[in-house]
Short mmCIF file of all heavy atoms in Angstrom, two decimals:
data_model
loop_
_atom_site.label_atom_id
_atom_site.label_comp_id
_atom_site.label_asym_id
_atom_site.label_seq_id
_atom_site.Cartn_x
_atom_site.Cartn_y
_atom_site.Cartn_z
N LEU Q 22 -16.40 -4.74 8.06
CA LEU Q 22 -15.62 -3.69 7.40
C LEU Q 22 -16.05 -3.43 5.96
O LEU Q 22 -15.73 -2.39 5.40
CB LEU Q 22 -14.13 -4.07 7.41
CG LEU Q 22 -13.45 -4.10 8.78
CD1 LEU Q 22 -11.99 -4.48 8.62
CD2 LEU Q 22 -13.57 -2.76 9.49
N LEU Q 23 -16.77 -4.37 5.36
CA LEU Q 23 -17.13 -4.21 3.95
C LEU Q 23 -17.96 -2.96 3.68
O LEU Q 23 -17.73 -2.27 2.68
CB LEU Q 23 -17.86 -5.46 3.47
CG LEU Q 23 -17.96 -5.64 1.95
CD1 LEU Q 23 -16.57 -5.64 1.33
CD2 LEU Q 23 -18.71 -6.92 1.61
N PRO Q 24 -18.96 -2.60 4.51
CA PRO Q 24 -19.70 -1.36 4.24
C PRO Q 24 -18.81 -0.12 4.22
O PRO Q 24 -19.02 0.78 3.40
CB PRO Q 24 -20.72 -1.31 5.38
CG PRO Q 24 -20.89 -2.72 5.82
CD PRO Q 24 -19.55 -3.35 5.65
N PHE Q 25 -17.81 -0.05 5.10
CA PHE Q 25 -16.91 1.11 5.11
C PHE Q 25 -16.07 1.14 3.83
O PHE Q 25 -15.83 2.21 3.26
CB PHE Q 25 -16.00 1.06 6.33
CG PHE Q 25 -16.74 1.13 7.64
CD1 PHE Q 25 -17.04 -0.02 8.35
CD2 PHE Q 25 -17.13 2.36 8.17
CE1 PHE Q 25 -17.72 0.04 9.55
CE2 PHE Q 25 -17.80 2.43 9.37
CZ PHE Q 25 -18.10 1.27 10.07
N ALA Q 26 -15.65 -0.04 3.38
CA ALA Q 26 -14.87 -0.09 2.14
C ALA Q 26 -15.70 0.35 0.95
O ALA Q 26 -15.23 1.12 0.09
CB ALA Q 26 -14.32 -1.50 1.93
N LEU Q 27 -16.95 -0.11 0.87
CA LEU Q 27 -17.81 0.27 -0.26
C LEU Q 27 -18.14 1.76 -0.22
O LEU Q 27 -18.19 2.42 -1.26
CB LEU Q 27 -19.10 -0.57 -0.22
CG LEU Q 27 -18.92 -2.08 -0.46
CD1 LEU Q 27 -20.25 -2.80 -0.34
CD2 LEU Q 27 -18.29 -2.33 -1.82
N SER Q 28 -18.37 2.29 0.99
CA SER Q 28 -18.65 3.71 1.10
C SER Q 28 -17.47 4.55 0.63
O SER Q 28 -17.63 5.54 -0.11
CB SER Q 28 -18.99 4.06 2.56
OG SER Q 28 -19.18 5.45 2.72
N SER Q 29 -16.26 4.16 1.03
CA SER Q 29 -15.06 4.88 0.58
C SER Q 29 -14.86 4.73 -0.93
O SER Q 29 -14.46 5.67 -1.61
CB SER Q 29 -13.84 4.35 1.32
OG SER Q 29 -12.66 4.94 0.84
N LEU Q 30 -15.18 3.55 -1.46
CA LEU Q 30 -15.02 3.32 -2.90
C LEU Q 30 -16.00 4.17 -3.69
O LEU Q 30 -15.62 4.77 -4.72
CB LEU Q 30 -15.24 1.84 -3.20
CG LEU Q 30 -14.99 1.39 -4.63
CD1 LEU Q 30 -13.56 1.67 -5.05
CD2 LEU Q 30 -15.31 -0.08 -4.79
N PHE Q 31 -17.25 4.25 -3.26
CA PHE Q 31 -18.22 5.10 -3.95
C PHE Q 31 -17.82 6.57 -3.88
O PHE Q 31 -18.01 7.33 -4.82
CB PHE Q 31 -19.61 4.90 -3.35
CG PHE Q 31 -20.20 3.55 -3.64
CD1 PHE Q 31 -21.08 2.95 -2.75
CD2 PHE Q 31 -19.87 2.87 -4.80
CE1 PHE Q 31 -21.60 1.70 -3.01
CE2 PHE Q 31 -20.39 1.62 -5.08
CZ PHE Q 31 -21.26 1.03 -4.18
N GLY Q 32 -17.25 6.97 -2.74
CA GLY Q 32 -16.78 8.35 -2.62
C GLY Q 32 -15.66 8.66 -3.60
O GLY Q 32 -15.60 9.75 -4.16
N ALA Q 33 -14.78 7.67 -3.85
CA ALA Q 33 -13.71 7.87 -4.82
C ALA Q 33 -14.27 7.98 -6.23
O ALA Q 33 -13.76 8.75 -7.05
CB ALA Q 33 -12.71 6.72 -4.73
N PHE Q 34 -15.32 7.24 -6.53
CA PHE Q 34 -15.93 7.31 -7.87
C PHE Q 34 -16.58 8.67 -8.11
O PHE Q 34 -16.57 9.19 -9.22
CB PHE Q 34 -16.96 6.21 -8.05
CG PHE Q 34 -16.36 4.89 -8.44
CD1 PHE Q 34 -16.59 3.75 -7.69
CD2 PHE Q 34 -15.55 4.78 -9.56
CE1 PHE Q 34 -16.04 2.54 -8.04
CE2 PHE Q 34 -14.99 3.56 -9.92
CZ PHE Q 34 -15.23 2.45 -9.16
N HIS Q 35 -17.16 9.23 -7.06
CA HIS Q 35 -17.87 10.50 -7.21
C HIS Q 35 -16.95 11.71 -7.03
O HIS Q 35 -17.42 12.85 -7.09
CB HIS Q 35 -19.02 10.60 -6.20
CG HIS Q 35 -20.17 9.70 -6.52
ND1 HIS Q 35 -20.21 8.37 -6.11
CD2 HIS Q 35 -21.31 9.90 -7.23
CE1 HIS Q 35 -21.33 7.81 -6.54
NE2 HIS Q 35 -22.01 8.72 -7.22
N TYR Q 36 -15.67 11.47 -6.81
CA TYR Q 36 -14.73 12.58 -6.65
C TYR Q 36 -14.57 13.30 -7.99
O TYR Q 36 -14.35 12.67 -9.03
CB TYR Q 36 -13.38 12.08 -6.17
CG TYR Q 36 -12.29 13.14 -6.16
CD1 TYR Q 36 -12.25 14.10 -5.17
CD2 TYR Q 36 -11.33 13.18 -7.17
CE1 TYR Q 36 -11.27 15.08 -5.15
CE2 TYR Q 36 -10.33 14.14 -7.16
CZ TYR Q 36 -10.31 15.08 -6.16
OH TYR Q 36 -9.32 16.04 -6.15
N SER Q 37 -14.68 14.61 -7.97
CA SER Q 37 -14.56 15.40 -9.19
C SER Q 37 -13.19 16.04 -9.27
O SER Q 37 -12.82 16.83 -8.40
CB SER Q 37 -15.63 16.51 -9.22
OG SER Q 37 -15.46 17.34 -10.36
N PRO Q 38 -12.39 15.70 -10.30
CA PRO Q 38 -11.06 16.30 -10.41
C PRO Q 38 -11.08 17.80 -10.61
O PRO Q 38 -10.10 18.48 -10.37
CB PRO Q 38 -10.46 15.59 -11.64
CG PRO Q 38 -11.30 14.36 -11.83
CD PRO Q 38 -12.65 14.72 -11.35
N SER Q 39 -12.24 18.33 -11.05
CA SER Q 39 -12.33 19.77 -11.32
C SER Q 39 -12.71 20.58 -10.10
O SER Q 39 -12.89 21.80 -10.21
CB SER Q 39 -13.36 20.01 -12.43
OG SER Q 39 -14.65 19.54 -12.04
N GLN Q 40 -12.88 19.95 -8.95
CA GLN Q 40 -13.27 20.71 -7.77
C GLN Q 40 -12.13 21.63 -7.35
O GLN Q 40 -10.96 21.34 -7.57
CB GLN Q 40 -13.65 19.77 -6.64
CG GLN Q 40 -12.50 18.98 -6.04
CD GLN Q 40 -12.98 18.07 -4.92
OE1 GLN Q 40 -14.17 17.85 -4.77
NE2 GLN Q 40 -12.05 17.55 -4.15
N PRO Q 41 -12.46 22.78 -6.75
CA PRO Q 41 -11.40 23.74 -6.40
C PRO Q 41 -10.45 23.19 -5.35
O PRO Q 41 -10.82 22.37 -4.50
CB PRO Q 41 -12.20 24.94 -5.85
CG PRO Q 41 -13.52 24.37 -5.42
CD PRO Q 41 -13.80 23.24 -6.37
N GLY Q 42 -9.19 23.64 -5.44
CA GLY Q 42 -8.19 23.18 -4.50
C GLY Q 42 -8.22 23.97 -3.21
O GLY Q 42 -9.08 24.84 -2.99
N PHE Q 43 -7.27 23.68 -2.34
CA PHE Q 43 -7.17 24.37 -1.06
C PHE Q 43 -6.39 25.66 -1.25
O PHE Q 43 -5.33 25.69 -1.88
CB PHE Q 43 -6.47 23.48 -0.04
CG PHE Q 43 -7.21 22.20 0.25
CD1 PHE Q 43 -6.86 21.02 -0.40
CD2 PHE Q 43 -8.24 22.17 1.18
CE1 PHE Q 43 -7.53 19.84 -0.12
CE2 PHE Q 43 -8.91 20.99 1.46
CZ PHE Q 43 -8.56 19.83 0.80
N GLU Q 44 -6.90 26.74 -0.68
CA GLU Q 44 -6.24 28.03 -0.77
C GLU Q 44 -5.01 28.06 0.13
O GLU Q 44 -5.08 27.73 1.31
CB GLU Q 44 -7.19 29.16 -0.37
CG GLU Q 44 -8.35 29.38 -1.32
CD GLU Q 44 -7.94 30.16 -2.56
OE1 GLU Q 44 -6.80 30.69 -2.56
OE2 GLU Q 44 -8.73 30.22 -3.51
N LEU Q 45 -3.87 28.46 -0.44
CA LEU Q 45 -2.65 28.62 0.34
C LEU Q 45 -2.31 30.09 0.59
O LEU Q 45 -1.45 30.40 1.40
CB LEU Q 45 -1.46 27.95 -0.37
CG LEU Q 45 -1.53 26.44 -0.54
CD1 LEU Q 45 -0.24 25.92 -1.13
CD2 LEU Q 45 -1.82 25.75 0.78
N SER Q 46 -2.96 30.98 -0.12
CA SER Q 46 -2.71 32.41 0.05
C SER Q 46 -4.04 33.11 0.30
O SER Q 46 -5.09 32.66 -0.15
CB SER Q 46 -2.03 33.00 -1.19
OG SER Q 46 -2.82 32.78 -2.34
N ALA Q 47 -3.97 34.20 1.01
CA ALA Q 47 -5.18 34.95 1.33
C ALA Q 47 -5.74 35.61 0.07
O ALA Q 47 -5.00 36.11 -0.77
CB ALA Q 47 -4.87 36.01 2.40
N ASN Q 48 -7.05 35.59 -0.07
CA ASN Q 48 -7.69 36.21 -1.22
C ASN Q 48 -7.58 37.73 -1.12
O ASN Q 48 -7.87 38.33 -0.08
CB ASN Q 48 -9.16 35.81 -1.30
CG ASN Q 48 -9.33 34.34 -1.64
OD1 ASN Q 48 -8.53 33.79 -2.39
ND2 ASN Q 48 -10.36 33.71 -1.09
N THR Q 49 -7.14 38.33 -2.19
CA THR Q 49 -7.03 39.79 -2.25
C THR Q 49 -7.61 40.27 -3.57
O THR Q 49 -7.82 39.48 -4.50
CB THR Q 49 -5.56 40.24 -2.14
OG1 THR Q 49 -4.80 39.61 -3.19
CG2 THR Q 49 -4.96 39.86 -0.80
N THR Q 50 -7.87 41.55 -3.64
CA THR Q 50 -8.34 42.13 -4.90
C THR Q 50 -7.15 42.31 -5.82
O THR Q 50 -6.21 43.04 -5.52
CB THR Q 50 -9.02 43.49 -4.64
OG1 THR Q 50 -10.10 43.30 -3.72
CG2 THR Q 50 -9.55 44.07 -5.93
N LEU Q 51 -7.19 41.62 -6.95
CA LEU Q 51 -6.06 41.62 -7.87
C LEU Q 51 -6.24 42.74 -8.89
O LEU Q 51 -7.23 42.79 -9.62
CB LEU Q 51 -5.96 40.27 -8.57
CG LEU Q 51 -5.80 39.06 -7.65
CD1 LEU Q 51 -5.71 37.78 -8.45
CD2 LEU Q 51 -4.57 39.21 -6.77
N ARG Q 52 -5.27 43.64 -8.93
CA ARG Q 52 -5.29 44.74 -9.89
C ARG Q 52 -3.93 44.82 -10.58
O ARG Q 52 -2.91 44.43 -10.01
CB ARG Q 52 -5.59 46.07 -9.20
CG ARG Q 52 -6.96 46.18 -8.54
CD ARG Q 52 -7.21 47.59 -8.03
NE ARG Q 52 -8.49 47.73 -7.39
CZ ARG Q 52 -8.71 47.56 -6.11
NH1 ARG Q 52 -7.70 47.24 -5.31
NH2 ARG Q 52 -9.92 47.71 -5.60
N GLY Q 53 -3.94 45.32 -11.78
CA GLY Q 53 -2.68 45.50 -12.49
C GLY Q 53 -2.06 44.16 -12.83
O GLY Q 53 -2.68 43.28 -13.44
N GLU Q 54 -0.80 43.98 -12.40
CA GLU Q 54 -0.11 42.72 -12.65
C GLU Q 54 -0.47 41.72 -11.56
O GLU Q 54 -0.30 41.99 -10.37
CB GLU Q 54 1.41 42.95 -12.66
CG GLU Q 54 2.20 41.69 -12.93
CD GLU Q 54 3.69 41.92 -12.89
OE1 GLU Q 54 4.11 43.09 -12.75
OE2 GLU Q 54 4.45 40.93 -12.97
N TRP Q 55 -0.97 40.56 -11.95
CA TRP Q 55 -1.35 39.54 -10.98
C TRP Q 55 -1.17 38.16 -11.59
O TRP Q 55 -1.07 37.98 -12.80
CB TRP Q 55 -2.78 39.73 -10.49
CG TRP Q 55 -3.82 39.82 -11.58
CD1 TRP Q 55 -4.32 40.96 -12.14
CD2 TRP Q 55 -4.46 38.73 -12.25
NE1 TRP Q 55 -5.25 40.68 -13.11
CE2 TRP Q 55 -5.35 39.30 -13.19
CE3 TRP Q 55 -4.38 37.35 -12.15
CZ2 TRP Q 55 -6.15 38.52 -14.03
CZ3 TRP Q 55 -5.18 36.57 -12.98
CH2 TRP Q 55 -6.04 37.15 -13.89
N THR Q 56 -1.14 37.16 -10.68
CA THR Q 56 -0.93 35.77 -11.07
C THR Q 56 -1.82 34.87 -10.22
O THR Q 56 -1.88 35.03 -9.01
CB THR Q 56 0.54 35.35 -10.88
OG1 THR Q 56 1.39 36.26 -11.57
CG2 THR Q 56 0.76 33.95 -11.42
N LYS Q 57 -2.48 33.94 -10.88
CA LYS Q 57 -3.26 32.91 -10.20
C LYS Q 57 -2.69 31.56 -10.61
O LYS Q 57 -2.59 31.25 -11.79
CB LYS Q 57 -4.74 32.99 -10.57
CG LYS Q 57 -5.46 34.18 -9.95
CD LYS Q 57 -6.95 34.10 -10.21
CE LYS Q 57 -7.69 35.22 -9.50
NZ LYS Q 57 -9.17 35.13 -9.68
N LEU Q 58 -2.32 30.76 -9.60
CA LEU Q 58 -1.67 29.47 -9.86
C LEU Q 58 -2.36 28.37 -9.08
O LEU Q 58 -2.93 28.60 -8.00
CB LEU Q 58 -0.19 29.51 -9.46
CG LEU Q 58 0.71 30.49 -10.22
CD1 LEU Q 58 2.11 30.48 -9.61
CD2 LEU Q 58 0.77 30.13 -11.70
N ASN Q 59 -2.29 27.17 -9.65
CA ASN Q 59 -2.73 25.97 -8.95
C ASN Q 59 -1.59 24.97 -8.96
O ASN Q 59 -1.00 24.68 -10.00
CB ASN Q 59 -3.96 25.35 -9.61
CG ASN Q 59 -4.42 24.10 -8.89
OD1 ASN Q 59 -4.85 24.16 -7.73
ND2 ASN Q 59 -4.34 22.96 -9.55
#
Side-chain angles (χ1 to χ4, degrees):
L22 293 180
L23 196 57
F25 298 97
L27 294 178
S28 176
S29 175
L30 185 60
F31 291 150
F34 277 124
H35 288 86
Y36 172 76
S37 176
S39 60
Q40 69 180 14
F43 298 97
E44 292 281 349
L45 296 186
S46 58
N48 292 325
T49 57
T50 302
L51 302 180
R52 297 187 180 91
E54 181 182 354
W55 54 265
T56 305
K57 287 187 175 183
L58 297 175
N59 180 65

